[in-house]
Amino acid sequence: MRHIISMLLENEPGALSRVVGLFSQRNFNIETLNVAPTDDPTLSRLTVTTHGDERIIEQITKHLNRLIDVVKLVDLTEGAHIERELMLVKVKAQGSARDEVKRTADIFRAQIVDVTPSVYTVQITGDATKLDAFLQAVTPLGVLEVARTGVSGIARGDKVLSL
Amino acid sequence: MIARFLKDEGVEYIYGYPGGAALHIYDALFRQDDVKHILVRHEQAATHMADGYARASGKPGVVLVTSGPGATNAVTGIATAYMDSIPMVVLCGQVASHLIGEDAFQETDIVGVTRPIVKHSFSIRHPSDIPTVLKKAFYIASSGRPGPVVVDIPKDMTAPTERYEYVYPRKVKLRSYSPVSRGHTGQIRKAVELLMSARRPVIFAGGGVITGRASEALTALAHRLNLPVITSLMGLGAFPQNDPQSLGWPGMHGSYESNMAMHNSDLVLGVGVRFDDRVTNNVNRFCPDARIVHIDVDPSSISKTVHADVPIVGAADHVLNEMLNQIGQRTEAQESLDEWWEMINAWRAERRGKLYEPAASGEPLKPQQVVEAVHRATHGDAYVVTDVGQHQMFAAQYYKFNQPNRWISSSGLGTMGYGLPAAMGIKLNYPDEHVVLFTGEGSFQMMMQELSTCKQFGIPVKIVNLNNASLGMVRQWQDLNYKSRHAHSYMESLPDFEKLIGAYGFKAITVNTADELEPALEEAFRSKDELVFLDIHVDPREHVYPMQVPQGAMCDMLLSKTERT
Ligand SMILES: Cc1ncc(C[n+]2csc(CCOP(=O)(O)OP(=O)(O)O)c2C)c(N)n1
Ligand SMILES: [Mg+2]
């Protein structure tokens, strides 16, 4: 099953490589990885999506928790949560395709954020399946470049991941 | 600052080797007398010395090396300590901060190189951070499940031109690190219930019992419920082997009765063990009838290879004492273990007197009988250190350990060359004890340059070279799996060990026959202040048995060259 694991990480040099290294060292897979500072300058938030059965996910979370740099960790998929990813796509937009791209973007509530005579750059946010669906829809029109941020997420309701 | 910290931390010895990036530190060491530095002949030896000391004392060993090749030479020793959860602090010089990343002379990203084989690592970024970072390093290395910690120290951090106030930090807190001690009471209750109602229980105790100083609690629990006790190789000595409840150690070359008992048990109480593949054999066929209770300080050890029915995260001594406590309050009777002990005693009887055949007169000595003779000569209470190979397994099988911290061997990594420096680290700190190294001519030659260190610092270890003129363990596998095609398992052109040892000014005795053995041992163990090397020529055809059959269950064993279960 797919899991979204989010953690607060000491903002220390080497912390990120310890997390990433752990995945390769123990033969765990990483599908997406997203890391950025938080409101607390000493902490970063890191989110990975990964696949595995229950035993593997348990091992992943235990080993991550064992890293001294990992301050707190949550498997968001264990409860209700919000998952978001941002994607920028350059799509060929010439002739009739120009309208088609625009229409498709509207349907997906995506925005065209840059325009040239031959190319639209589209920005879209949502969960991974929505992004995948959009990509599928515009692929016949000619996708030139894709940049995805990787999944970020947060639990629904009052639950918070903080110190 | 580093020298002062080490003194305040109570460090008596550090083991190391100087070089450019570490010279400020060496200069500081020169100008004080509290912390003694032992100059090795290869940085790997420094890590093994620290490791040997740590295993014998339970305290972290401290290593000091320079950047680049100094640090990379230490890697094998760091990995060895990591695999066996041994506390160690490795201080590495590094090129000056402004040069980092430029491929400067003797620059290696040692934090990167060692990342998968350390518990944690630090890079010093400001000289004033040194005391706190070192305190954290010692705290992390020695608490919870111990392990090696690397501290990378760029040269400018130790530049003597700047001055910072030094205060010894008595305590450090890390918000993201708080090792558990108390186990969950409810889980402990479940474990106790299972123990009381089990008909064929065994205790399986590992290195965690020794690190966690829980031997007493373990022994009390075993006696209280009359439980058979199996210890892992790392746990040798956690339960006295002269106790009738001891079944020895299990696994690849473990005792017949321990493998049979564990396989046929209905409950395994694992304490501070990691159920590694050298014990379980094929995990899918591991203990088919047993429920597993697993106590460990490290949650990631639990259910890693073998699913635990009752996981208990906690320090071994606390959890075991709490179990005793709860047992004391219970009124119902324990299930009788008489039948179980009958089965176990039958397994014991099956192999009694059949383990190996001592050499007939004129025949080459058997390594097993040498170990037994050394056991007698040292009254079973020496610190026993080994290298890696057949001799290691024979030492583990035939020396009997009645106390913890006496069996010192690289188990998880199996590092040839470990023995001599590890023995030295122990002898230096326990000068009044016999420290015996069982080695093989292959392993010994990996670290024999350290004889020079023994000479410089007067470190009189006793070395028993079980010389079979071959990489015996490799040869055994080739005999069994490769139709005796002995690809590169010979040690041709062996040195004349008497001359070699003599070159360092030490005594060496060559032993060829059984008649020569006793007098040689008597001479070797007469004094504790003389390094003696026994070059004992043993039968090169000997194999280590029992030996588990690949992919089998624990109970599937070869028992000799001609028998199997
Ligand atoms: C550094 C290292 N290299 C290779 C091995 C693989 N290996 C395991 S046992 C062994 C043979 C050891 O020979 P020796 O020290 O003479 O011991 P014996 O088995 O003959 O008693 C080898 C090569 C190892 N464990 N460590
Ligand atoms: Mg040999």
Side-chain angles (χ1 to χ4, degrees), chain B residues 433-487:
Chain B
E433 306 280 342
H434 273 313
V435 179
V436 185
L437 165 65
F438 286 102
T439 185
E441 75 303 315
S443 298
F444 186 72
Q445 291 187 85
M446 284 208 177
M447 277 284 131
M448 65 187 182
Q449 78 285 348
E450 296 306 320
L451 288 168
S452 174
T453 310
C454 289
K455 184 172 179 186
Q456 179 176 357
F457 296 94
I459 310 177
V461 293
K462 309 290 179 189
I463 303 169
V464 178
N465 185 30
L466 294 176
N467 188 343
N468 52 8
S470 63
L471 301 177
M473 188 55 94
V474 173
R475 187 188 159 107
Q476 173 168 349
W477 282 60
Q478 290 169 337
D479 283 340
L480 294 170
N481 301 331
Y482 301 90
K483 302 207 168 99
S484 294
R485 291 188 298 272
H486 294 151

Side-chain angles (χ1 to χ4, degrees), chain B residues 206-248:
Chain B
V209 175
I210 295 177
T211 351
R213 298 177 196 279
S215 292
E216 253 178 62
L218 180 90
T219 309
L221 178 70
H223 286 163
R224 177 74 208 254
L225 296 183
N226 191 28
L227 303 170
V229 181
I230 295 167
T231 66
S232 73
L233 204 52
M234 281 298 295
L236 270 184
F239 185 77
Q241 283 193 282
N242 60 4
D243 189 299
Q245 283 170 237
S246 164
L247 305 192

Side-chain angles (χ1 to χ4, degrees), chain B residues 148-281:
Chain B
V149 175
V150 163
V151 185
D152 198 36
I153 311 172
K155 190 167 181 180
D156 48 324
M157 296 298 121
T158 51
T161 48
E162 298 169 55
R163 295 255 163 256
Y164 294 92
E165 199 199 344
Y166 166 86
V167 187
Y168 174 70
R170 295 209 164 275
K171 267 205 153 140
V172 280
K173 263 199 77 160
L174 285 133
R175 62 179 171 185
S176 58
Y177 177 72
S178 50
V180 285
S181 59
R182 309 183 65 81
H184 189 276
T185 320
Q187 291 292 91
I188 295 175
R189 186 172 313 117
K190 277 194 214 157
V192 167
E193 274 158 17
L194 285 180
L195 264 185
M196 304 290 283
S197 58
R199 289 160 177 270
R200 301 190 308 278
V202 294
I203 289 182
F204 177 34
V209 175
I210 295 177
T211 351
R213 298 177 196 279
S215 292
E216 253 178 62
L218 180 90
T219 309
L221 178 70
H223 286 163
R224 177 74 208 254
L225 296 183
N226 191 28
L227 303 170
V229 181
I230 295 167
T231 66
S232 73
L233 204 52
M234 281 298 295
L236 270 184
F239 185 77
Q241 283 193 282
N242 60 4
D243 189 299
Q245 283 170 237
S246 164
L247 305 192
W249 52 277
M252 173 69 82
H253 293 300
S255 71
Y256 175 72
E257 54 266 34
S258 69
N259 279 337
M260 294 304 280
M262 203 143 141
H263 179 79
N264 289 288
S265 66
D266 67 354
L267 179 73
V268 176
L269 173 64
V271 194
V273 280
R274 57 190 183 89
F275 293 96
D276 76 298
D277 54 299
R278 276 290 183 270
V279 166
T280 59
N281 208 359

Side-chain angles (χ1 to χ4, degrees), chain B residues 358-500:
Chain B
S361 89
E363 291 275 297
L365 277 160
K366 297 288 175 158
Q368 298 94 324
Q369 74 189 96
V370 177
V371 176
E372 289 191 316
V374 172
H375 181 260
R376 285 193 299 274
T378 55
H379 311 292
D381 69 357
Y383 285 90
V384 174
V385 187
T386 76
D387 265 298
V388 173
Q390 290 184 321
H391 63 272
Q392 175 188 33
M393 293 298 111
F394 291 133
Q397 289 177 332
Y398 292 95
Y399 202 99
K400 301 292 173 199
F401 296 87
N402 299 325
Q403 319 171 49
N405 307 94
R406 295 280 164 143
W407 160 254
I408 314 285
S409 187
S410 165
S411 308
L413 200 65
T415 310
M416 288 173 69
Y418 171 80
L420 176 60
M424 290 159 57
I426 299 169
K427 183 65 186 177
L428 192 66
N429 288 278
Y430 299 90
D432 300 332
E433 306 280 342
H434 273 313
V435 179
V436 185
L437 165 65
F438 286 102
T439 185
E441 75 303 315
S443 298
F444 186 72
Q445 291 187 85
M446 284 208 177
M447 277 284 131
M448 65 187 182
Q449 78 285 348
E450 296 306 320
L451 288 168
S452 174
T453 310
C454 289
K455 184 172 179 186
Q456 179 176 357
F457 296 94
I459 310 177
V461 293
K462 309 290 179 189
I463 303 169
V464 178
N465 185 30
L466 294 176
N467 188 343
N468 52 8
S470 63
L471 301 177
M473 188 55 94
V474 173
R475 187 188 159 107
Q476 173 168 349
W477 282 60
Q478 290 169 337
D479 283 340
L480 294 170
N481 301 331
Y482 301 90
K483 302 207 168 99
S484 294
R485 291 188 298 272
H486 294 151
H488 297 274
S489 54
Y490 297 106
M491 292 303 278
E492 277 157 4
S493 60
L494 283 176
D496 177 333
F497 280 106
E498 274 193 40
K499 281 195 189 140
L500 177 76

